Amino acid sequence: MKAIVTVMLKDGVLDPQGKAIGHALHVQGFGEVQEVRAGRVIELDIDARDREAAAARVDEMARKLLANQVIESFKVEIV
Amino acid sequence: MKAIVTVMLKDGVLDPQGKAIGHALHVQGFGEVQEVRAGRVIELDIDARDREAAAARVDEMARKLLANQVIESFKVEIV
Amino acid sequence: MTARTVDAALAREFGLSNEEYERVLAIMGRTPSLTELGIFSVMWSEHCSYKSSRVWLKTLPTTAPWVIHGPGENAGVVDIGRGLAAIFKMESHNHPSFIEPYQGAATGVGGILRDVFTMGARPVANLNALRFGSPENPVTRRIVDGVVRGIGGYGNCVGVPTVGGEINFHPSFDGNPLVNAMTVGIARTDRIFLSAAAGIGNPVVYVGSRTGRDGIHGATMASAEFGADAEAKRPTVQVGDPFVEKLLIEACLELMATDAIVAIQDMGAAGLTSSSVEMAGKGGVGIELDLDHVPQRERGMTAYEMMLSESQERMLIVIRPDREDVARAIFDKWELDFAVIGHITETGHIVVKHRGVVEADIPLDPLAEQAPLYRRPLGDRVVPEPLGRVHDPIGTEAALLRLIGSPDIASRAWVWNQYDSTVGGRTVRRPGAADAAVVVVSEDDAGFDSTLALALTTDCTPRYVQACARTGGAQAVAEAYRNLCAVGATPLAVTDNLNFGNPERPEIMRQFADAIEGMGVACRALDFPVVSGNVSLYNETKNPDGTTTAILPTPAIGGLGVLEDANRAVGLSLAPGLSLVLIGETAGALGQSLWLREVLGQEEGAPPPLDLAAERRHGAFVRDQIAAGRIAASHDLADGGLLVAIAEMAMAGRTGVALDTPPSGLPPYGWWFGEDQARYLLGTAEPDALLAAAASAGVPARIIGHADGSDGLTLPEGVTISLARLRAAHDRFFPALMDA
Amino acid sequence: MRAGIVVFPGTNRERDMAIALHRVTGIRPMMLWHRDTKLPKLDLVVLPGGFSHGDYLRCGAMAAHSPVMSAVRAHAATGGAVLGVCNGFQILTEAQLLPGALLRNAGLRFLSQDWHLRVERADTIFTSAWRQGDIFRVPLAHGDGNYIADADTLDRIEDEGQVAFRYCDAEGRVSPETSPNGSARSIAGVFDRSRRILGLMPHPEDLVDPLMGGTDGLPLFKSLLESLVS
Ligand SMILES: Nc1ncnc2c1ncn2[C@@H]1O[C@H](COP(=O)(O)OP(=O)(O)O)[C@@H](O)[C@H]1O
Ligand SMILES: [Mg+2]
């Protein structure tokens, strides 16, 4: 099974990277861009009985390791 | 409109970050994890006539700036 | 938030005692608004008001003919000749670094950089003094990793080389690591910028990053011990943006080359509140802010939130009204926010408006003058029992191998290899090359041929301070002095970072008072005044059973010295053919030594006694001999004693050393591993001249061996310990801890 | 030799580079700004190290789209020499003036230490003061120096002699272990086809003075001085 974990900074936490990307897009003529947020994505291949089991395990991985919950939030998708 | 650009290393490009995450997950007892790939995600709020127009513009942004097509591939979603 | 009624209960949540809240009511003559309460609470927090420490800090010597500005400004300023000044300070980011090690350490570096460039200096070097918990504690590894990455991530990006520092491990830091960051900058003595506001009507300008809801109440958090609710305090973590800091440095220095600035101050702890209150307070004027003009990152921020936000990379500047366009153009060029958010008034009040409403109106004089000041009760002075008889269970060879690989002595290359130490083209002695880092300074940024240099070091031996705070406080100063002398520099001044536990506990307050007393005595004896510093209290962890664990008391000292000619700087690397000369007296002091801890598992006894007159005499002698060109390698003796120092010099120079028989009357372990103070080990090609000079200066000196170009240390009894074995033991610790 | 150094927001090794160029040429190089659209007449344009635009997104990505880069391209197109060091190398690859890309170091940590390089060819304007096979010491200071290109590109740049330097040990041996950052074939620096553009990760400009620990980096600048007398 394949899982996709998307990790973004929590709302309100400064996102220097997103800010810089937004700025660069503007300079390059993409004036229609408003807010930009940058995050990480981690794709995992994983052995699991079923989707629920996989989701539960990946959720645990994200909590323990993949996301820094002090400043980040995450989302798990099983595909 | 909101666009999500996911940028991953192309297949065949060594991904040390993914490898390190995989290793760390194993050490932490997530032995069921196989291959891990790490990438970036960029979320944009964007003004556009419709989804097609948005997709076309974001595709252009990705080609020009958000991805380095020498090593990376990207995917655009409009949500 | 806004729905809360302001009362004594809320004040307590904000960290104000009932009595302090009464005082607020008396000053205001009414119930304060939420924003006003917020302002009082941060200004009267331990972090900003120094309410527990001030009475003791005042006893430190702070003046010398070369001191231009001592404590009281953003950083200390000393004259280094040729019309130049060194500006430097050290600051802690302990609590944030436990909650989020990367961002905590990174923003610590950012904060101290701003304290230095806000005075007009270009930052030329960073150092850091770190204390971590036991290497056996699984949490330690994550904290070390984050802190080291954070320091590197920020310092490398802003392009200020990280050239030195120190690291200790001890279980008392398990739940409360120490991250003390130091920045040193260079400015022209005639272009130093202060924070006292002036000029009624002058605009108050905000520059840098936008304000978000970051770190609200950070200053009060830094003043509270960690309990089970540490988790709940997490949302206050700030994220640093070193890229914006780099732009801010360049933009501010560019503005400083004009005549636009009246006063300037970084927004550090308590952000807009402390910067505006301090600028107006120091200038004896009033200030009015209209928060509608504050550049904001988030929607719907209240006055309270904006006044208390600790968003990073922001500065407040009072400028000449006719220079507003010049200033704006510079910040536009660097693509930084620039906004006039208020003006200087004659009211003596801080007035904060938001959406047409006066959210705060506080008289500044009483806010400062009636700030709480405590002479907290002192516990009994701890007098350590002298160390009793010890035995040596493992012998010299095994002890050396164990010590050289122990956490407090092992090679720190793993750490400094992640810090850019050369950027800027000024670094003459990188980490690990000498007892102090050496950076060359130039009169202007392109003045390539200056050889005037600064020597920099940070030092403290917390286990000594724990055993006897007076001796330990003095020893930290003496060791900094020694490290500067060892490279050939003349020590000029120190900054300090006083990390202690809860000052409301008499035994902690006693440690604090005694450590300062010791520091003061040493600074006076060595002509080595304190010109800036920082206090971090409440470094304790609440245990599940209700008890608390305090850190080992850690008055970290950052020392600065000057070398007229950087070409004369001496490192610790030995070369074959050199004789090794030991300077100073060896009595075999093993109390609180690393040998005792690492070999016998004991943390006992009194720290080694200090003789400050000898420190001064020996230091001057070493400097003179270096200036005379007689010294090719030099190292002060500290943790681990003589044999550890020999091994370090031999490894650095890739040469073996043949050692002479120790003097009789001392056990071998006392000679090799005693931590007696005021000692140096010098490598010289002219041992006779050196001994003669020592004799006439009344300085004890003795040849103890020579570098023979072999591949090992040969002990007097004939045993050889190969350099390869030593290096393997020395290099193992960090990679084994971190990369396993 | 007239040299100019481009400063981007976040560039931080322009001073180091200026010191090195001044030392060999006796002339202070010009500082150029990322928004410049025209360059003065120059023999050499240098893109120095640092963290242009914070190195956010990808190192060098945003700088590669700066206005000044069109001018740099034009300068190169007319045979002008271009040197990119560290972040400058990353910018040149992002601008596709040089082949390949630079990924995160294989060890995932910033690397700041001296390393050795082997000179792969000495018949270029950048390397003429060395002999082929010379070994020299040089400081590294980067987090993203892992050189990568697809196999065909690697073969091509090898065949066409575009590899300038390789990471090696003190004896000049090259193996996967001598690559500090995982770079393909231990490549530390590459030329473009014309060999008038060079990009490399390490910092020769930080080792041009005995006071700073050595002069191993000087030949790069001496080569340029000899080749670019104007
Ligand atoms: N332990 C100390 N020794 C000497 N001076 C100190 C000490 N602690 C603080 N100071 C001085 O008190 C002033 C206020 O310090 P601080 O609140 O840390 O400043 P900032 O808010 O600018 O970082 C500074 O001038 C600082 O140098
Ligand atoms: Mg300050």
PDB file of all heavy atoms in Angstrom, chain C residues 374-395:
ATOM      1  N   TYR C 374      14.199  42.620  44.021  1.00  0.00           N
ATOM      2  CA  TYR C 374      14.193  41.724  45.175  1.00  0.00           C
ATOM      3  C   TYR C 374      15.599  41.414  45.645  1.00  0.00           C
ATOM      4  O   TYR C 374      16.494  41.139  44.846  1.00  0.00           O
ATOM      5  CB  TYR C 374      13.484  40.403  44.822  1.00  0.00           C
ATOM      6  CG  TYR C 374      12.044  40.600  44.432  1.00  0.00           C
ATOM      7  CD1 TYR C 374      11.552  40.130  43.218  1.00  0.00           C
ATOM      8  CD2 TYR C 374      11.169  41.279  45.294  1.00  0.00           C
ATOM      9  CE1 TYR C 374      10.232  40.324  42.859  1.00  0.00           C
ATOM     10  CE2 TYR C 374       9.842  41.476  44.933  1.00  0.00           C
ATOM     11  CZ  TYR C 374       9.384  41.000  43.724  1.00  0.00           C
ATOM     12  OH  TYR C 374       8.077  41.195  43.371  1.00  0.00           O
ATOM     13  N   ARG C 375      15.752  41.495  46.948  1.00  0.00           N
ATOM     14  CA  ARG C 375      16.950  40.938  47.563  1.00  0.00           C
ATOM     15  C   ARG C 375      16.482  39.635  48.192  1.00  0.00           C
ATOM     16  O   ARG C 375      16.042  39.595  49.331  1.00  0.00           O
ATOM     17  CB  ARG C 375      17.502  41.915  48.599  1.00  0.00           C
ATOM     18  CG  ARG C 375      18.741  41.433  49.307  1.00  0.00           C
ATOM     19  CD  ARG C 375      19.284  42.515  50.228  1.00  0.00           C
ATOM     20  NE  ARG C 375      20.054  43.515  49.497  1.00  0.00           N
ATOM     21  CZ  ARG C 375      21.337  43.378  49.167  1.00  0.00           C
ATOM     22  NH1 ARG C 375      21.992  42.294  49.513  1.00  0.00           N
ATOM     23  NH2 ARG C 375      21.964  44.322  48.505  1.00  0.00           N
ATOM     24  N   ARG C 376      16.519  38.610  47.398  1.00  0.00           N
ATOM     25  CA  ARG C 376      15.901  37.363  47.846  1.00  0.00           C
ATOM     26  C   ARG C 376      16.777  36.694  48.903  1.00  0.00           C
ATOM     27  O   ARG C 376      17.999  36.859  48.917  1.00  0.00           O
ATOM     28  CB  ARG C 376      15.715  36.418  46.658  1.00  0.00           C
ATOM     29  CG  ARG C 376      14.766  36.966  45.598  1.00  0.00           C
ATOM     30  CD  ARG C 376      14.256  35.859  44.721  1.00  0.00           C
ATOM     31  NE  ARG C 376      13.460  36.344  43.596  1.00  0.00           N
ATOM     32  CZ  ARG C 376      12.151  36.576  43.644  1.00  0.00           C
ATOM     33  NH1 ARG C 376      11.484  36.382  44.774  1.00  0.00           N
ATOM     34  NH2 ARG C 376      11.496  36.989  42.577  1.00  0.00           N
ATOM     35  N   PRO C 377      16.136  35.929  49.780  1.00  0.00           N
ATOM     36  CA  PRO C 377      16.885  35.294  50.871  1.00  0.00           C
ATOM     37  C   PRO C 377      17.955  34.335  50.346  1.00  0.00           C
ATOM     38  O   PRO C 377      17.747  33.640  49.352  1.00  0.00           O
ATOM     39  CB  PRO C 377      15.827  34.511  51.640  1.00  0.00           C
ATOM     40  CG  PRO C 377      14.525  34.799  51.014  1.00  0.00           C
ATOM     41  CD  PRO C 377      14.708  35.665  49.832  1.00  0.00           C
ATOM     42  N   LEU C 378      19.080  34.346  51.043  1.00  0.00           N
ATOM     43  CA  LEU C 378      20.198  33.484  50.669  1.00  0.00           C
ATOM     44  C   LEU C 378      20.291  32.305  51.607  1.00  0.00           C
ATOM     45  O   LEU C 378      20.174  32.469  52.817  1.00  0.00           O
ATOM     46  CB  LEU C 378      21.517  34.263  50.766  1.00  0.00           C
ATOM     47  CG  LEU C 378      21.660  35.501  49.895  1.00  0.00           C
ATOM     48  CD1 LEU C 378      23.017  36.153  50.149  1.00  0.00           C
ATOM     49  CD2 LEU C 378      21.517  35.117  48.438  1.00  0.00           C
ATOM     50  N   GLY C 379      20.525  31.149  51.070  1.00  0.00           N
ATOM     51  CA  GLY C 379      20.769  29.979  51.913  1.00  0.00           C
ATOM     52  C   GLY C 379      22.180  30.021  52.478  1.00  0.00           C
ATOM     53  O   GLY C 379      22.944  30.958  52.229  1.00  0.00           O
ATOM     54  N   ASP C 380      22.499  29.008  53.225  1.00  0.00           N
ATOM     55  CA  ASP C 380      23.845  28.938  53.787  1.00  0.00           C
ATOM     56  C   ASP C 380      24.860  28.701  52.678  1.00  0.00           C
ATOM     57  O   ASP C 380      24.587  28.019  51.709  1.00  0.00           O
ATOM     58  CB  ASP C 380      23.944  27.791  54.804  1.00  0.00           C
ATOM     59  CG  ASP C 380      23.144  28.104  56.046  1.00  0.00           C
ATOM     60  OD1 ASP C 380      22.917  29.311  56.304  1.00  0.00           O
ATOM     61  OD2 ASP C 380      22.724  27.155  56.735  1.00  0.00           O
ATOM     62  N   ARG C 381      26.010  29.258  52.901  1.00  0.00           N
ATOM     63  CA  ARG C 381      27.078  29.046  51.928  1.00  0.00           C
ATOM     64  C   ARG C 381      27.550  27.588  52.000  1.00  0.00           C
ATOM     65  O   ARG C 381      27.756  27.039  53.072  1.00  0.00           O
ATOM     66  CB  ARG C 381      28.237  29.984  52.249  1.00  0.00           C
ATOM     67  CG  ARG C 381      29.421  29.793  51.355  1.00  0.00           C
ATOM     68  CD  ARG C 381      30.355  30.969  51.470  1.00  0.00           C
ATOM     69  NE  ARG C 381      29.825  32.104  50.724  1.00  0.00           N
ATOM     70  CZ  ARG C 381      30.210  33.364  50.920  1.00  0.00           C
ATOM     71  NH1 ARG C 381      31.081  33.652  51.869  1.00  0.00           N
ATOM     72  NH2 ARG C 381      29.708  34.334  50.197  1.00  0.00           N
ATOM     73  N   VAL C 382      27.702  27.005  50.853  1.00  0.00           N
ATOM     74  CA  VAL C 382      28.160  25.621  50.789  1.00  0.00           C
ATOM     75  C   VAL C 382      29.682  25.618  50.834  1.00  0.00           C
ATOM     76  O   VAL C 382      30.333  26.272  50.026  1.00  0.00           O
ATOM     77  CB  VAL C 382      27.683  24.959  49.488  1.00  0.00           C
ATOM     78  CG1 VAL C 382      28.224  23.538  49.385  1.00  0.00           C
ATOM     79  CG2 VAL C 382      26.156  24.966  49.417  1.00  0.00           C
ATOM     80  N   VAL C 383      30.215  24.939  51.800  1.00  0.00           N
ATOM     81  CA  VAL C 383      31.674  24.811  51.845  1.00  0.00           C
ATOM     82  C   VAL C 383      32.014  23.356  51.539  1.00  0.00           C
ATOM     83  O   VAL C 383      31.655  22.459  52.297  1.00  0.00           O
ATOM     84  CB  VAL C 383      32.233  25.198  53.222  1.00  0.00           C
ATOM     85  CG1 VAL C 383      33.754  25.133  53.224  1.00  0.00           C
ATOM     86  CG2 VAL C 383      31.752  26.590  53.585  1.00  0.00           C
ATOM     87  N   PRO C 384      32.616  23.114  50.416  1.00  0.00           N
ATOM     88  CA  PRO C 384      32.847  21.719  50.035  1.00  0.00           C
ATOM     89  C   PRO C 384      33.876  21.045  50.936  1.00  0.00           C
ATOM     90  O   PRO C 384      34.841  21.670  51.365  1.00  0.00           O
ATOM     91  CB  PRO C 384      33.367  21.829  48.600  1.00  0.00           C
ATOM     92  CG  PRO C 384      33.917  23.206  48.477  1.00  0.00           C
ATOM     93  CD  PRO C 384      33.158  24.069  49.426  1.00  0.00           C
ATOM     94  N   GLU C 385      33.606  19.804  51.221  1.00  0.00           N
ATOM     95  CA  GLU C 385      34.591  18.978  51.933  1.00  0.00           C
ATOM     96  C   GLU C 385      35.766  18.735  50.998  1.00  0.00           C
ATOM     97  O   GLU C 385      35.568  18.413  49.831  1.00  0.00           O
ATOM     98  CB  GLU C 385      33.980  17.608  52.235  1.00  0.00           C
ATOM     99  CG  GLU C 385      32.838  17.618  53.213  1.00  0.00           C
ATOM    100  CD  GLU C 385      33.348  17.783  54.636  1.00  0.00           C
ATOM    101  OE1 GLU C 385      34.424  17.221  54.942  1.00  0.00           O
ATOM    102  OE2 GLU C 385      32.679  18.495  55.411  1.00  0.00           O
ATOM    103  N   PRO C 386      36.980  18.862  51.509  1.00  0.00           N
ATOM    104  CA  PRO C 386      38.110  18.508  50.643  1.00  0.00           C
ATOM    105  C   PRO C 386      38.033  17.025  50.288  1.00  0.00           C
ATOM    106  O   PRO C 386      37.483  16.217  51.035  1.00  0.00           O
ATOM    107  CB  PRO C 386      39.345  18.819  51.481  1.00  0.00           C
ATOM    108  CG  PRO C 386      38.867  19.105  52.854  1.00  0.00           C
ATOM    109  CD  PRO C 386      37.389  19.316  52.827  1.00  0.00           C
ATOM    110  N   LEU C 387      38.579  16.721  49.147  1.00  0.00           N
ATOM    111  CA  LEU C 387      38.559  15.334  48.689  1.00  0.00           C
ATOM    112  C   LEU C 387      39.434  14.472  49.602  1.00  0.00           C
ATOM    113  O   LEU C 387      40.557  14.841  49.920  1.00  0.00           O
ATOM    114  CB  LEU C 387      39.100  15.287  47.259  1.00  0.00           C
ATOM    115  CG  LEU C 387      39.035  13.952  46.540  1.00  0.00           C
ATOM    116  CD1 LEU C 387      37.601  13.528  46.295  1.00  0.00           C
ATOM    117  CD2 LEU C 387      39.794  14.055  45.214  1.00  0.00           C
ATOM    118  N   GLY C 388      38.893  13.342  49.993  1.00  0.00           N
ATOM    119  CA  GLY C 388      39.687  12.427  50.805  1.00  0.00           C
ATOM    120  C   GLY C 388      40.703  11.671  49.965  1.00  0.00           C
ATOM    121  O   GLY C 388      40.954  12.019  48.817  1.00  0.00           O
ATOM    122  N   ARG C 389      41.261  10.639  50.534  1.00  0.00           N
ATOM    123  CA  ARG C 389      42.247   9.847  49.784  1.00  0.00           C
ATOM    124  C   ARG C 389      41.571   9.135  48.629  1.00  0.00           C
ATOM    125  O   ARG C 389      40.458   8.669  48.733  1.00  0.00           O
ATOM    126  CB  ARG C 389      42.874   8.796  50.708  1.00  0.00           C
ATOM    127  CG  ARG C 389      43.880   9.358  51.677  1.00  0.00           C
ATOM    128  CD  ARG C 389      44.376   8.252  52.577  1.00  0.00           C
ATOM    129  NE  ARG C 389      45.116   7.254  51.800  1.00  0.00           N
ATOM    130  CZ  ARG C 389      46.431   7.312  51.612  1.00  0.00           C
ATOM    131  NH1 ARG C 389      47.132   8.280  52.127  1.00  0.00           N
ATOM    132  NH2 ARG C 389      47.043   6.371  50.903  1.00  0.00           N
ATOM    133  N   VAL C 390      42.260   9.079  47.514  1.00  0.00           N
ATOM    134  CA  VAL C 390      41.726   8.304  46.393  1.00  0.00           C
ATOM    135  C   VAL C 390      42.783   7.296  45.978  1.00  0.00           C
ATOM    136  O   VAL C 390      43.949   7.404  46.341  1.00  0.00           O
ATOM    137  CB  VAL C 390      41.353   9.199  45.194  1.00  0.00           C
ATOM    138  CG1 VAL C 390      40.198  10.100  45.540  1.00  0.00           C
ATOM    139  CG2 VAL C 390      42.557  10.002  44.729  1.00  0.00           C
ATOM    140  N   HIS C 391      42.355   6.322  45.227  1.00  0.00           N
ATOM    141  CA  HIS C 391      43.291   5.361  44.678  1.00  0.00           C
ATOM    142  C   HIS C 391      43.108   5.368  43.166  1.00  0.00           C
ATOM    143  O   HIS C 391      42.120   5.888  42.643  1.00  0.00           O
ATOM    144  CB  HIS C 391      43.004   3.969  45.232  1.00  0.00           C
ATOM    145  CG  HIS C 391      41.692   3.438  44.764  1.00  0.00           C
ATOM    146  ND1 HIS C 391      40.487   3.978  45.162  1.00  0.00           N
ATOM    147  CD2 HIS C 391      41.388   2.441  43.898  1.00  0.00           C
ATOM    148  CE1 HIS C 391      39.488   3.334  44.577  1.00  0.00           C
ATOM    149  NE2 HIS C 391      39.998   2.396  43.794  1.00  0.00           N
ATOM    150  N   ASP C 392      44.044   4.796  42.462  1.00  0.00           N
ATOM    151  CA  ASP C 392      43.971   4.770  41.003  1.00  0.00           C
ATOM    152  C   ASP C 392      43.737   3.339  40.554  1.00  0.00           C
ATOM    153  O   ASP C 392      44.654   2.525  40.562  1.00  0.00           O
ATOM    154  CB  ASP C 392      45.293   5.299  40.424  1.00  0.00           C
ATOM    155  CG  ASP C 392      45.342   5.136  38.909  1.00  0.00           C
ATOM    156  OD1 ASP C 392      44.304   4.777  38.316  1.00  0.00           O
ATOM    157  OD2 ASP C 392      46.420   5.364  38.341  1.00  0.00           O
ATOM    158  N   PRO C 393      42.509   3.029  40.144  1.00  0.00           N
ATOM    159  CA  PRO C 393      42.214   1.639  39.812  1.00  0.00           C
ATOM    160  C   PRO C 393      42.662   1.210  38.412  1.00  0.00           C
ATOM    161  O   PRO C 393      42.713   0.023  38.138  1.00  0.00           O
ATOM    162  CB  PRO C 393      40.687   1.571  39.905  1.00  0.00           C
ATOM    163  CG  PRO C 393      40.220   2.957  39.600  1.00  0.00           C
ATOM    164  CD  PRO C 393      41.315   3.882  40.052  1.00  0.00           C
ATOM    165  N   ILE C 394      42.981   2.147  37.524  1.00  0.00           N
ATOM    166  CA  ILE C 394      43.203   1.709  36.145  1.00  0.00           C
ATOM    167  C   ILE C 394      44.533   2.120  35.537  1.00  0.00           C
ATOM    168  O   ILE C 394      44.897   1.646  34.468  1.00  0.00           O
ATOM    169  CB  ILE C 394      42.047   2.161  35.214  1.00  0.00           C
ATOM    170  CG1 ILE C 394      41.964   3.688  35.133  1.00  0.00           C
ATOM    171  CG2 ILE C 394      40.713   1.576  35.660  1.00  0.00           C
ATOM    172  CD1 ILE C 394      40.967   4.173  34.089  1.00  0.00           C
ATOM    173  N   GLY C 395      45.267   2.996  36.162  1.00  0.00           N
ATOM    174  CA  GLY C 395      46.573   3.374  35.617  1.00  0.00           C
ATOM    175  C   GLY C 395      46.491   4.506  34.608  1.00  0.00           C
ATOM    176  O   GLY C 395      45.414   4.854  34.121  1.00  0.00           O
TER     177      GLY C 395
END
